[in-house]
Amino acid sequence: MFSAEAIAAVRAAAEPKSVLPEDAHAPHLEEWRGRWPGETPLILAPSSTEELSRIMAAAYEHGVAIVPQGGNTGLVGGGAAKGEVIVTTKRMRAVRDVSPEGFTMTLETGITLQEAQGIAAEQDRLFPLSIGAEGTANIGGVLSTNAGGVHVLRYGNARDLVLGLEAVLPDGRIWHGLNALRKNNTGYDLKHLFIGGEGTLGIITAAVLKLYPQPKEHVTAMLAVPSAEAAVALLSSAQERSGGQLGSFEIMGDCMVELVLDQFPDLSYPLETKAPYYVLAEFASGQKGSLREVVEGVLENAFERELVLDGTIASSDSQREQLWTIRHNASEAMKLDPSPCVKADVSVPIAAIPGFLQQADEAVLQMEPGARIIAFGHMGDGNIHYDILGPKDGDHGVWRSRMAEFEHRVHDVVVSLDGSISAEHGIGQLKRDELVTRKDPVEMELMRTIKRSLDPKGLMNPGKLLEV
Ligand SMILES: Cc1cc2nc3c(=O)[nH]c(=O)nc-3n(C[C@H](O)[C@H](O)[C@H](O)COP(=O)(O)OP(=O)(O)OC[C@H]3O[C@@H](n4cnc5c(N)ncnc54)[C@H](O)[C@@H]3O)c2cc1C
């Protein structure tokens, strides 16, 4: 794809110990879903922004394309290489600053999300971004995909948690945008091009992240609800009656819960009643003492209004963890099922969720009565992971060949409800071609104009997010 001389020039721009030996390539060429096998002539792991800048300048000069990688946990094929040079930020791990008084920390982007949470916690501060892959996903990856997760309802997604950024542009220039300002009205807010940009405009090397006070008390409940309509009403009531102390509100379809319990026999069903949907709701307070009473009041009202059929409140940290484990194991349980899985990560306005679930279920089951619909997700953000496994004893090859058809049908329903075909996982390769057909043409053209202007040679993560 690129000449040996061009690759040699890029390699020469890196420190010798930043060049990964071939026997260390494998984890960078396999992605989580196993759908996009990678291929690369060279993997570089620079340890500083300056070194990365030299590498990018050499790649630009010699016309070599780059695929940025973080923890490689992305679900849309955004970090998979097809002959390009892979640049991983995993050795860029400095903690540049932590300011508990200013409620900020400045981290290089090779630090994992879990480590970032720990760095904040050491100062009795909260970095609220939390996703299932947080032990491996790193700051660069979560910012580049604008990750969401389980605390968006209260704190927003990755985009809302960034004050400043440092990034290396495709031609090697460094953008020094690491300010910790909460007010800065000096024109276009360029950081938002890189956040959610999926590595198509440059490589994020450091970020100033917002911190919050650590909650002192959590109350977590798992609730059986009679319908998706009841879950929406419960969400609204819980937000109102708890005075904004609701931190997470996750919905789980009965098929999802059953699949997890089947795949992980150590977990047990925590309720006495079965229901079509379950809600995992977590409330958090900055003060100890009165939260449980508040939550009991919310639930009492919900039982009276028949919004809840059954429920349990975790009475210890280990019980809280057990309830979350059911939810967190959803993706892993699907991976363990032998059937390939359609993964539709979609969002609709919250009030439209029941209509979405009903219409999508009808459409899917009409196409394949044996399809197993595993619907779950961050209901408080209008985000449903509408995943579909093939019939239990069906032919996996046949199912795989039909998966795109099912995904399109689900997306038709989403678009008819003014929703988005990607809520939090991004576009990558998976949804690139579909994006063009679903997004406003003027918006697509503006995106292409930005891409051409920042990356005129088309060298940054080509083939991902958009074709220029
Ligand atoms: C089990 C599991 C659970 C998940 N749960 C959630 C969830 O709840 N919410 C959610 O939003 N997502 C979730 N995800 C998907 C999510 O997108 C990723 O886990 C995470 O955001 C990606 O981080 P990463 O470091 O692994 O990035 P990678 O996979 O390495 O890269 C992702 C994209 O970002 C680009 N990129 C990486 N680093 C940089 C950088 N420094 N500069 C520029 N571009 C870069 C890559 O080129 C690629 O396009 C989950 C994934 C898994 C496997």
Side-chain angles (χ1 to χ4, degrees), residues 16 49 51 80 110 152 259 394 460:
T49 305
E51 185 189 359
V152 174
L259 185 75
M460 283 310 303

Side-chain angles (χ1 to χ4, degrees), residues 75-137:
L75 296 173
V76 292
K82 288 183 275 187
E84 301 90 352
V85 169
I86 293 174
V87 173
T88 166
T89 51
K90 67 181 182 185
R91 289 179 63 230
M92 302 184 61
R93 294 179 41 78
V95 178
R96 295 206 193 158
D97 183 51
V98 184
S99 168
E101 304 81 18
F103 284 83
T104 61
M105 61 182 178
T106 306
L107 305 183
E108 291 190 351
T109 45
I111 289 176
T112 68
L113 179 52
Q114 200 169 61
E115 288 167 339
Q117 294 161 354
I119 292 162
E122 275 169 26
Q123 304 293 329
D124 196 26
R125 296 290 178 261
L126 174 75
F127 182 58
L129 194 68
S130 177
I131 65 173
E134 63 200 22
T136 314

Side-chain angles (χ1 to χ4, degrees), residues 32 68 70-74 78 131 137-138 140-141 144-145 147-149 198-199 202 204 424 461:
W32 204 80
N72 202 16
T73 66
I131 65 173
N138 67 33
S144 301
T145 55
E198 300 188 28
I204 305 173
E424 61 175 8
N461 216 0

